[in-house]
């Protein structure tokens, strides 16, 4: 796992992206980014062994037999 983003690093990243954040928002942005990173890390751990890639899915071509 990577280390967490600090509020100062969030502010620097926002400035590099052209977003001037108020000082009161740095902590919230860092917390949100850290949460997103933790969710992505969890998704990366999932085993999709036999799941075909998304490019092989064709919308509208699935079996629509919904007999109950």
């Amino acid at each position: 796992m990577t280390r967490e983003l600090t509020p100062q690093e969030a502010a620097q990243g926002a400035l590099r992206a052209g977003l001037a954040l108020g000082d009161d928002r740095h902590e919230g942005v860092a917390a949100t980014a850290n949460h997103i990173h933790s969710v992505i890390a969890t998704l990366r751990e999932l085993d999709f062994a036999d799941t075909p890639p998304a490019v092989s899915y064709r919308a509208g071509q699935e079996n629509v037999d919904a007999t109950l």
Side-chain angles (χ1 to χ4, degrees):
M1 183 173 149
T2 61
R3 66 176 183 75
E4 290 200 349
L5 186 70
T6 66
Q8 294 78 19
E9 291 169 332
Q12 291 170 351
L15 282 176
R16 280 193 303 270
L19 303 170
L21 298 178
D23 291 343
D24 58 331
R25 298 196 56 207
H26 298 166
E27 192 170 323
V29 170
T32 301
N34 289 327
H35 176 71
I36 291 169
H37 286 159
S38 71
V39 170
I40 290 172
T42 302
L43 293 174
R44 286 183 174 153
E45 293 175 6
L46 296 175
D47 180 17
F48 293 107
D50 295 332
T51 305
V55 295
S56 68
Y57 176 77
R58 299 285 185 254
Q61 294 180 357
E62 62 272 356
N63 185 357
V64 292
D65 183 10
T67 306
L68 298 177

Coordinates of all heavy atoms in Angstrom, one line a residue:
M1 N 0.8 -1.2 0.0 CA 0.0 0.0 0.0 C 0.9 1.2 0.0 O 1.9 1.3 0.7 CB -0.9 0.0 1.2 CG -1.9 1.1 1.3 SD -3.0 0.9 2.6 CE -3.3 2.6 3.0
T2 N 0.5 2.2 -0.7 CA 1.2 3.5 -0.8 C 0.9 4.4 0.5 O -0.2 4.2 1.1 CB 0.9 4.3 -2.0 OG1 -0.5 4.6 -2.1 CG2 1.2 3.5 -3.3
R3 N 1.7 5.3 0.8 CA 1.4 6.2 1.9 C 0.3 7.1 1.5 O 0.0 7.4 0.4 CB 2.7 6.9 2.3 CG 3.2 7.9 1.3 CD 4.4 8.6 1.8 NE 4.9 9.6 0.9 CZ 4.2 10.8 0.6 NH1 3.2 11.1 1.3 NH2 4.7 11.6 -0.3
E4 N -0.3 7.7 2.6 CA -1.4 8.6 2.3 C -1.0 10.0 1.9 O 0.1 10.5 2.2 CB -2.2 8.7 3.6 CG -3.0 7.4 3.9 CD -4.2 7.7 4.9 OE1 -4.3 8.8 5.4 OE2 -5.0 6.8 5.0
L5 N -1.8 10.6 1.1 CA -1.6 12.0 0.6 C -1.8 13.0 1.7 O -2.8 12.9 2.5 CB -2.5 12.3 -0.5 CG -2.4 13.6 -1.3 CD1 -1.1 13.5 -2.2 CD2 -3.6 13.7 -2.2
T6 N -0.9 13.9 1.9 CA -1.0 14.9 3.0 C -1.8 16.1 2.4 O -1.9 16.3 1.2 CB 0.3 15.4 3.5 OG1 1.0 16.1 2.4 CG2 1.2 14.3 4.0
P7 N -2.4 16.9 3.3 CA -3.1 18.1 2.8 C -2.2 19.0 2.0 O -2.7 19.6 1.0 CB -3.6 18.8 4.1 CG -3.8 17.6 5.0 CD -2.7 16.7 4.7
Q8 N -1.0 19.1 2.4 CA 0.0 20.0 1.6 C 0.2 19.4 0.2 O 0.3 20.2 -0.8 CB 1.3 20.1 2.4 CG 1.2 20.9 3.7 CD 0.6 20.0 4.8 OE1 0.6 18.8 4.8 NE2 0.1 20.7 5.8
E9 N 0.3 18.1 0.1 CA 0.5 17.5 -1.2 C -0.7 17.6 -2.1 O -0.6 17.8 -3.3 CB 0.9 16.0 -1.1 CG 2.2 15.8 -0.5 CD 2.5 14.4 0.0 OE1 1.5 13.6 0.3 OE2 3.7 13.9 -0.1
A10 N -1.9 17.6 -1.4 CA -3.2 17.8 -2.2 C -3.2 19.2 -2.7 O -3.6 19.4 -3.9 CB -4.4 17.5 -1.3
A11 N -2.8 20.1 -1.9 CA -2.8 21.5 -2.4 C -1.8 21.7 -3.6 O -2.1 22.4 -4.5 CB -2.4 22.5 -1.2
Q12 N -0.6 21.1 -3.5 CA 0.4 21.2 -4.5 C -0.2 20.6 -5.8 O 0.0 21.1 -6.9 CB 1.7 20.6 -4.1 CG 2.4 21.4 -3.0 CD 3.6 20.6 -2.5 OE1 3.8 19.4 -2.8 NE2 4.4 21.2 -1.6
G13 N -0.8 19.4 -5.7 CA -1.3 18.8 -6.9 C -2.4 19.6 -7.5 O -2.5 19.7 -8.7
A14 N -3.3 20.2 -6.7 CA -4.4 21.0 -7.2 C -3.8 22.2 -8.0 O -4.3 22.6 -9.0 CB -5.3 21.5 -6.1
L15 N -2.8 22.8 -7.4 CA -2.2 24.0 -8.1 C -1.6 23.6 -9.4 O -1.7 24.3 -10.4 CB -1.1 24.6 -7.2 CG -1.6 25.5 -6.1 CD1 -0.5 26.0 -5.2 CD2 -2.4 26.7 -6.7
R16 N -0.9 22.4 -9.5 CA -0.3 21.9 -10.7 C -1.4 21.7 -11.8 O -1.2 21.8 -13.0 CB 0.5 20.6 -10.5 CG 1.8 20.8 -10.0 CD 2.7 19.6 -10.1 NE 2.1 18.4 -9.4 CZ 2.3 18.1 -8.1 NH1 3.1 18.8 -7.4 NH2 1.8 17.0 -7.6
A17 N -2.6 21.3 -11.3 CA -3.7 21.1 -12.2 C -4.5 22.3 -12.6 O -5.5 22.3 -13.3 CB -4.7 20.0 -11.6
G18 N -4.0 23.5 -12.0 CA -4.7 24.7 -12.3 C -5.9 25.0 -11.4 O -6.7 25.9 -11.7
L19 N -6.0 24.4 -10.3 CA -7.1 24.6 -9.3 C -6.6 25.2 -8.1 O -5.8 24.6 -7.3 CB -7.8 23.2 -9.0 CG -8.3 22.4 -10.1 CD1 -8.7 21.0 -9.6 CD2 -9.5 23.1 -10.8
A20 N -7.0 26.4 -7.8 CA -6.6 27.1 -6.6 C -7.6 26.8 -5.5 O -8.7 27.3 -5.5 CB -6.5 28.6 -6.8
L21 N -7.2 25.9 -4.6 CA -8.1 25.6 -3.5 C -7.9 26.5 -2.3 O -6.8 26.9 -2.0 CB -7.9 24.1 -3.0 CG -8.1 23.0 -4.0 CD1 -7.7 21.7 -3.4 CD2 -9.5 23.0 -4.5
G22 N -9.0 26.8 -1.6 CA -8.9 27.6 -0.3 C -8.2 26.7 0.7 O -8.3 25.5 0.7
D23 N -7.5 27.3 1.6 CA -6.8 26.6 2.7 C -7.7 25.6 3.5 O -7.2 24.6 3.9 CB -6.1 27.5 3.7 CG -5.0 28.3 3.0 OD1 -4.5 27.9 2.0 OD2 -4.6 29.3 3.6
D24 N -8.9 26.0 3.6 CA -9.9 25.2 4.3 C -10.3 23.9 3.6 O -10.9 23.0 4.2 CB -11.1 26.0 4.7 CG -11.9 26.5 3.5 OD1 -11.2 26.8 2.4 OD2 -13.1 26.7 3.5
R25 N -9.9 23.7 2.3 CA -10.3 22.6 1.5 C -9.2 21.5 1.4 O -9.5 20.4 1.0 CB -10.8 23.0 0.2 CG -12.0 23.9 0.3 CD -12.7 24.2 -1.0 NE -13.2 22.9 -1.6 CZ -13.3 22.8 -2.9 NH1 -13.1 23.8 -3.7 NH2 -13.7 21.6 -3.4
H26 N -8.0 21.8 1.7 CA -6.9 20.9 1.5 C -7.1 19.6 2.3 O -6.8 18.5 1.7 CB -5.5 21.6 2.0 CG -5.2 22.8 1.2 ND1 -4.2 23.7 1.6 CD2 -5.7 23.3 0.0 CE1 -4.1 24.7 0.7 NE2 -5.0 24.5 -0.2
E27 N -7.5 19.7 3.5 CA -7.7 18.4 4.3 C -8.8 17.6 3.7 O -8.6 16.3 3.6 CB -8.0 18.8 5.7 CG -7.9 17.6 6.7 CD -8.0 18.0 8.1 OE1 -7.5 19.1 8.5 OE2 -8.6 17.3 8.9
G28 N -9.9 18.2 3.3 CA -11.0 17.4 2.7 C -10.6 16.7 1.4 O -11.0 15.6 1.1
V29 N -9.9 17.5 0.6 CA -9.4 16.9 -0.7 C -8.5 15.8 -0.5 O -8.6 14.7 -1.2 CB -8.8 18.0 -1.6 CG1 -8.1 17.4 -2.8 CG2 -9.8 19.1 -2.0
A30 N -7.5 15.9 0.5 CA -6.6 14.8 0.8 C -7.4 13.6 1.3 O -7.1 12.5 0.9 CB -5.6 15.3 1.8
A31 N -8.3 13.8 2.1 CA -9.1 12.7 2.7 C -9.9 12.0 1.6 O -9.9 10.7 1.5 CB -10.1 13.2 3.8
T32 N -10.5 12.7 0.7 CA -11.2 12.2 -0.5 C -10.3 11.4 -1.4 O -10.6 10.2 -1.8 CB -11.9 13.3 -1.2 OG1 -12.8 13.9 -0.4 CG2 -12.7 12.7 -2.4
A33 N -9.1 11.9 -1.7 CA -8.2 11.2 -2.6 C -7.7 10.0 -1.9 O -7.6 8.9 -2.6 CB -7.0 12.2 -2.9
N34 N -7.4 10.0 -0.6 CA -7.0 8.8 0.1 C -8.1 7.7 0.1 O -7.8 6.5 -0.1 CB -6.6 9.1 1.5 CG -5.3 9.9 1.5 OD1 -4.4 9.7 0.7 ND2 -5.1 10.8 2.5
H35 N -9.3 8.1 0.2 CA -10.4 7.2 0.2 C -10.5 6.5 -1.2 O -10.7 5.3 -1.3 CB -11.8 7.8 0.5 CG -12.9 6.9 0.4 ND1 -13.1 5.9 1.3 CD2 -13.9 6.8 -0.5 CE1 -14.2 5.2 0.9 NE2 -14.7 5.8 -0.2
I36 N -10.4 7.3 -2.3 CA -10.5 6.8 -3.6 C -9.3 5.8 -3.9 O -9.5 4.7 -4.4 CB -10.4 8.0 -4.6 CG1 -11.7 8.8 -4.6 CG2 -10.2 7.5 -6.1 CD1 -11.7 10.1 -5.3
H37 N -8.1 6.2 -3.4 CA -7.0 5.2 -3.5 C -7.2 3.9 -2.8 O -6.9 2.9 -3.3 CB -5.7 5.9 -3.0 CG -5.2 7.0 -3.9 ND1 -4.3 7.9 -3.5 CD2 -5.4 7.2 -5.3 CE1 -4.0 8.7 -4.5 NE2 -4.7 8.3 -5.6
S38 N -7.9 4.0 -1.6 CA -8.1 2.7 -0.9 C -9.2 1.9 -1.6 O -9.0 0.6 -1.6 CB -8.6 3.0 0.5 OG -9.9 3.6 0.6
V39 N -10.2 2.5 -2.2 CA -11.2 1.7 -3.0 C -10.5 1.1 -4.2 O -10.7 -0.1 -4.5 CB -12.3 2.6 -3.4 CG1 -13.3 1.9 -4.4 CG2 -13.1 3.1 -2.2
I40 N -9.7 1.8 -4.9 CA -9.0 1.3 -6.1 C -8.1 0.2 -5.7 O -8.0 -0.9 -6.4 CB -8.3 2.4 -6.8 CG1 -9.3 3.4 -7.5 CG2 -7.3 1.8 -7.9 CD1 -8.7 4.6 -8.1
A41 N -7.4 0.3 -4.6 CA -6.5 -0.8 -4.1 C -7.3 -2.1 -3.9 O -6.9 -3.2 -4.2 CB -5.8 -0.4 -2.9
T42 N -8.5 -1.9 -3.3 CA -9.4 -3.1 -3.0 C -9.8 -3.7 -4.4 O -9.8 -4.9 -4.5 CB -10.6 -2.7 -2.2 OG1 -10.2 -2.1 -1.0 CG2 -11.5 -3.8 -2.0
L43 N -10.2 -2.9 -5.3 CA -10.6 -3.4 -6.6 C -9.4 -4.1 -7.3 O -9.7 -5.2 -8.0 CB -11.1 -2.3 -7.5 CG -12.4 -1.7 -7.1 CD1 -12.7 -0.5 -7.9 CD2 -13.5 -2.7 -7.1
R44 N -8.2 -3.7 -7.2 CA -7.1 -4.3 -7.8 C -6.8 -5.7 -7.2 O -6.2 -6.5 -7.9 CB -5.8 -3.4 -7.6 CG -5.9 -2.2 -8.5 CD -4.6 -1.4 -8.4 NE -4.6 -0.3 -9.4 CZ -4.0 0.8 -9.3 NH1 -3.2 1.0 -8.2 NH2 -4.0 1.7 -10.2
E45 N -7.3 -6.0 -6.0 CA -7.1 -7.3 -5.4 C -8.1 -8.3 -5.9 O -7.9 -9.5 -5.6 CB -7.2 -7.1 -3.9 CG -6.1 -6.3 -3.3 CD -6.3 -6.1 -1.8 OE1 -7.2 -6.7 -1.2 OE2 -5.5 -5.3 -1.2
L46 N -9.1 -7.9 -6.6 CA -10.1 -8.9 -7.0 C -9.6 -9.8 -8.1 O -8.8 -9.3 -9.0 CB -11.4 -8.1 -7.5 CG -12.1 -7.3 -6.5 CD1 -13.2 -6.5 -7.2 CD2 -12.7 -8.1 -5.4
D47 N -10.0 -11.0 -8.1 CA -9.6 -12.0 -9.1 C -10.7 -12.1 -10.2 O -11.8 -12.6 -9.9 CB -9.4 -13.3 -8.4 CG -8.9 -14.4 -9.4 OD1 -8.5 -14.0 -10.5 OD2 -9.0 -15.6 -9.1
F48 N -10.4 -11.7 -11.4 CA -11.3 -11.7 -12.5 C -10.9 -12.8 -13.5 O -11.0 -12.6 -14.7 CB -11.4 -10.4 -13.2 CG -11.9 -9.3 -12.4 CD1 -11.1 -8.3 -11.9 CD2 -13.3 -9.2 -12.2 CE1 -11.7 -7.2 -11.1 CE2 -13.8 -8.2 -11.4 CZ -13.0 -7.2 -10.9
A49 N -10.5 -13.9 -13.0 CA -9.9 -15.0 -13.8 C -10.6 -15.3 -15.1 O -10.0 -15.2 -16.1 CB -9.8 -16.3 -12.9
D50 N -11.8 -15.6 -15.1 CA -12.6 -16.0 -16.3 C -13.5 -14.9 -16.8 O -14.3 -15.2 -17.7 CB -13.4 -17.3 -16.0 CG -12.5 -18.5 -15.7 OD1 -11.4 -18.5 -16.2 OD2 -13.0 -19.4 -15.0
T51 N -13.3 -13.7 -16.3 CA -14.2 -12.6 -16.8 C -13.6 -12.1 -18.1 O -12.5 -11.6 -18.1 CB -14.3 -11.5 -15.7 OG1 -14.7 -12.1 -14.5 CG2 -15.2 -10.4 -16.2
P52 N -14.4 -12.0 -19.1 CA -13.9 -11.5 -20.4 C -13.7 -10.0 -20.3 O -14.4 -9.3 -19.5 CB -15.0 -11.8 -21.4 CG -16.2 -12.0 -20.6 CD -15.8 -12.5 -19.3
P53 N -12.8 -9.4 -21.1 CA -12.6 -8.0 -21.0 C -13.9 -7.2 -21.5 O -14.7 -7.8 -22.3 CB -11.4 -7.8 -22.0 CG -11.3 -9.0 -22.7 CD -11.9 -10.1 -22.0
A54 N -14.0 -6.0 -21.1 CA -15.2 -5.2 -21.4 C -15.4 -5.1 -22.9 O -16.5 -5.0 -23.4 CB -15.1 -3.9 -20.8
V55 N -14.3 -5.1 -23.7 CA -14.4 -4.9 -25.1 C -15.1 -6.0 -25.8 O -15.6 -5.9 -26.9 CB -13.0 -4.6 -25.8 CG1 -12.4 -3.3 -25.3 CG2 -12.1 -5.8 -25.6
S56 N -15.2 -7.2 -25.1 CA -15.9 -8.3 -25.7 C -17.4 -8.3 -25.5 O -18.2 -9.1 -26.0 CB -15.3 -9.6 -25.2 OG -15.6 -9.8 -23.8
Y57 N -17.9 -7.4 -24.6 CA -19.3 -7.2 -24.3 C -20.0 -6.4 -25.4 O -19.5 -5.3 -25.8 CB -19.5 -6.6 -23.0 CG -21.0 -6.4 -22.6 CD1 -21.8 -7.4 -22.2 CD2 -21.5 -5.1 -22.8 CE1 -23.1 -7.2 -21.9 CE2 -22.9 -4.9 -22.5 CZ -23.7 -5.9 -22.0 OH -25.0 -5.7 -21.8
R58 N -21.1 -6.8 -25.9 CA -21.9 -6.1 -26.9 C -23.3 -5.8 -26.4 O -24.1 -6.8 -26.2 CB -22.0 -6.9 -28.2 CG -20.6 -7.1 -28.9 CD -20.1 -5.9 -29.5 NE -18.9 -6.1 -30.2 CZ -17.6 -5.8 -29.8 NH1 -17.5 -5.2 -28.7 NH2 -16.6 -6.1 -30.5
A59 N -23.6 -4.6 -26.1 CA -24.9 -4.3 -25.6 C -26.0 -4.6 -26.6 O -25.8 -4.4 -27.8 CB -25.0 -2.8 -25.2
G60 N -27.1 -5.2 -26.1 CA -28.2 -5.5 -27.0 C -28.1 -6.9 -27.6 O -29.0 -7.3 -28.2
Q61 N -27.0 -7.6 -27.3 CA -26.9 -8.9 -27.9 C -27.0 -10.0 -26.8 O -26.8 -11.2 -27.1 CB -25.5 -9.1 -28.6 CG -25.3 -8.2 -29.8 CD -24.0 -8.4 -30.4 OE1 -23.1 -9.1 -29.9 NE2 -23.8 -7.7 -31.5
E62 N -27.4 -9.6 -25.6 CA -27.6 -10.7 -24.6 C -28.9 -11.4 -24.8 O -29.8 -10.9 -25.5 CB -27.5 -10.0 -23.2 CG -28.5 -9.0 -22.9 CD -28.1 -7.6 -23.3 OE1 -27.0 -7.4 -23.8 OE2 -29.0 -6.7 -23.2
N63 N -29.0 -12.5 -24.2 CA -30.3 -13.3 -24.2 C -31.3 -12.5 -23.4 O -31.2 -12.4 -22.2 CB -30.0 -14.7 -23.7 CG -31.2 -15.6 -23.8 OD1 -32.3 -15.1 -24.3 ND2 -31.1 -16.8 -23.4
V64 N -32.4 -12.2 -24.1 CA -33.5 -11.4 -23.4 C -34.7 -12.2 -23.1 O -35.8 -11.7 -22.9 CB -33.9 -10.1 -24.2 CG1 -32.7 -9.1 -24.3 CG2 -34.3 -10.5 -25.6
D65 N -34.6 -13.5 -23.0 CA -35.7 -14.4 -22.6 C -35.9 -14.3 -21.2 O -35.2 -14.9 -20.3 CB -35.3 -15.9 -23.0 CG -36.5 -16.8 -22.7 OD1 -37.6 -16.3 -22.5 OD2 -36.3 -18.0 -22.8
A66 N -37.0 -13.5 -20.8 CA -37.3 -13.3 -19.4 C -38.5 -14.0 -18.9 O -39.3 -13.5 -18.2 CB -37.4 -11.8 -19.2
T67 N -38.7 -15.2 -19.4 CA -39.8 -16.0 -19.0 C -39.7 -16.3 -17.5 O -38.7 -16.8 -17.0 CB -39.8 -17.4 -19.8 OG1 -39.8 -17.0 -21.2 CG2 -41.1 -18.1 -19.5
L68 N -40.8 -16.1 -16.8 CA -40.9 -16.4 -15.4 C -41.6 -17.7 -15.1 O -42.5 -18.1 -15.6 CB -41.5 -15.3 -14.6 CG -40.8 -13.9 -14.7 CD1 -41.6 -12.9 -14.0 CD2 -39.4 -14.0 -14.1

